[in-house]
mmCIF file of all heavy atoms in Angstrom:
data_model
loop_
_atom_site.group_PDB
_atom_site.id
_atom_site.type_symbol
_atom_site.label_atom_id
_atom_site.label_comp_id
_atom_site.label_asym_id
_atom_site.label_seq_id
_atom_site.Cartn_x
_atom_site.Cartn_y
_atom_site.Cartn_z
ATOM 1 N N ALA A 195 137.716 143.562 74.103
ATOM 2 C CA ALA A 195 138.192 144.541 73.196
ATOM 3 C C ALA A 195 137.802 144.211 71.704
ATOM 4 O O ALA A 195 138.130 145.053 70.844
ATOM 5 C CB ALA A 195 139.676 144.656 73.376
ATOM 6 N N GLY A 196 137.125 143.124 71.562
ATOM 7 C CA GLY A 196 136.643 142.841 70.099
ATOM 8 C C GLY A 196 137.670 142.299 69.117
ATOM 9 O O GLY A 196 137.454 142.356 67.980
ATOM 10 N N VAL A 197 138.761 141.769 69.642
ATOM 11 C CA VAL A 197 139.801 141.180 68.836
ATOM 12 C C VAL A 197 139.528 139.734 68.639
ATOM 13 O O VAL A 197 138.678 139.098 69.402
ATOM 14 C CB VAL A 197 141.170 141.512 69.179
ATOM 15 C CG1 VAL A 197 141.517 142.982 69.364
ATOM 16 C CG2 VAL A 197 141.518 140.718 70.515
ATOM 17 N N ASP A 198 140.157 139.045 67.688
ATOM 18 C CA ASP A 198 140.000 137.644 67.507
ATOM 19 C C ASP A 198 140.759 136.863 68.652
ATOM 20 O O ASP A 198 141.981 136.652 68.408
ATOM 21 C CB ASP A 198 140.481 137.192 65.996
ATOM 22 C CG ASP A 198 140.336 135.857 65.733
ATOM 23 O OD1 ASP A 198 140.109 134.960 66.711
ATOM 24 O OD2 ASP A 198 140.387 135.550 64.530
ATOM 25 N N ALA A 199 140.074 136.374 69.615
ATOM 26 C CA ALA A 199 140.859 135.744 70.733
ATOM 27 C C ALA A 199 141.494 134.411 70.388
ATOM 28 O O ALA A 199 142.669 134.143 70.803
ATOM 29 C CB ALA A 199 139.884 135.506 71.879
ATOM 30 N N ALA A 200 140.896 133.718 69.402
ATOM 31 C CA ALA A 200 141.569 132.403 69.039
ATOM 32 C C ALA A 200 142.798 132.715 68.305
ATOM 33 O O ALA A 200 143.758 132.058 68.575
ATOM 34 C CB ALA A 200 140.643 131.706 68.124
ATOM 35 N N ALA A 201 142.828 133.709 67.381
ATOM 36 C CA ALA A 201 144.096 134.038 66.632
ATOM 37 C C ALA A 201 145.068 134.570 67.613
ATOM 38 O O ALA A 201 146.272 134.332 67.648
ATOM 39 C CB ALA A 201 143.776 134.993 65.557
ATOM 40 N N GLY A 202 144.589 135.426 68.567
ATOM 41 C CA GLY A 202 145.436 136.034 69.623
ATOM 42 C C GLY A 202 146.198 134.933 70.374
ATOM 43 O O GLY A 202 147.343 135.051 70.600
ATOM 44 N N LEU A 203 145.449 133.964 70.882
ATOM 45 C CA LEU A 203 146.061 132.928 71.720
ATOM 46 C C LEU A 203 147.100 132.112 70.912
ATOM 47 O O LEU A 203 148.069 131.629 71.366
ATOM 48 C CB LEU A 203 145.094 132.050 72.351
ATOM 49 C CG LEU A 203 144.204 132.595 73.379
ATOM 50 C CD1 LEU A 203 143.233 131.614 73.947
ATOM 51 C CD2 LEU A 203 144.989 133.130 74.510
ATOM 52 N N ASP A 204 146.770 131.864 69.558
ATOM 53 C CA ASP A 204 147.745 131.187 68.736
ATOM 54 C C ASP A 204 149.050 131.933 68.718
ATOM 55 O O ASP A 204 150.175 131.415 68.687
ATOM 56 C CB ASP A 204 147.230 131.129 67.261
ATOM 57 C CG ASP A 204 146.129 130.115 67.115
ATOM 58 O OD1 ASP A 204 145.894 129.261 68.070
ATOM 59 O OD2 ASP A 204 145.377 130.099 66.021
ATOM 60 N N VAL A 205 148.989 133.282 68.581
ATOM 61 C CA VAL A 205 150.214 134.150 68.542
ATOM 62 C C VAL A 205 150.885 133.974 69.836
ATOM 63 O O VAL A 205 152.199 133.842 69.985
ATOM 64 C CB VAL A 205 149.875 135.536 68.171
ATOM 65 C CG1 VAL A 205 151.165 136.350 68.229
ATOM 66 C CG2 VAL A 205 149.233 135.633 66.859
ATOM 67 N N LEU A 206 150.155 134.191 70.922
ATOM 68 C CA LEU A 206 150.799 134.026 72.331
ATOM 69 C C LEU A 206 151.565 132.693 72.422
ATOM 70 O O LEU A 206 152.563 132.519 73.013
ATOM 71 C CB LEU A 206 149.707 134.162 73.347
ATOM 72 C CG LEU A 206 149.476 135.480 74.079
ATOM 73 C CD1 LEU A 206 149.062 136.498 72.927
ATOM 74 C CD2 LEU A 206 148.470 135.334 75.174
ATOM 75 N N ALA A 207 150.901 131.598 71.919
ATOM 76 C CA ALA A 207 151.475 130.314 72.089
ATOM 77 C C ALA A 207 152.803 130.070 71.306
ATOM 78 O O ALA A 207 153.579 129.196 71.599
ATOM 79 C CB ALA A 207 150.400 129.223 71.689
ATOM 80 N N GLY A 208 153.024 131.002 70.390
ATOM 81 C CA GLY A 208 154.286 131.055 69.505
ATOM 82 C C GLY A 208 155.349 131.962 70.113
ATOM 83 O O GLY A 208 156.482 131.881 69.596
ATOM 84 N N GLY A 209 155.050 132.743 71.134
ATOM 85 C CA GLY A 209 156.098 133.573 71.649
ATOM 86 C C GLY A 209 156.446 133.318 73.054
ATOM 87 O O GLY A 209 156.451 132.215 73.472
ATOM 88 N N LEU A 210 156.943 134.359 73.765
ATOM 89 C CA LEU A 210 157.403 134.198 75.126
ATOM 90 C C LEU A 210 156.409 133.751 76.153
ATOM 91 O O LEU A 210 156.714 133.176 77.119
ATOM 92 C CB LEU A 210 158.190 135.478 75.525
ATOM 93 C CG LEU A 210 159.037 135.435 76.829
ATOM 94 C CD1 LEU A 210 160.102 134.281 76.736
ATOM 95 C CD2 LEU A 210 159.595 136.733 77.097
#
Side-chain angles (χ1 to χ4, degrees):
V197 304
D198 182 341
L203 290 182
D204 287 347
V205 177
L206 263 60
L210 192 54

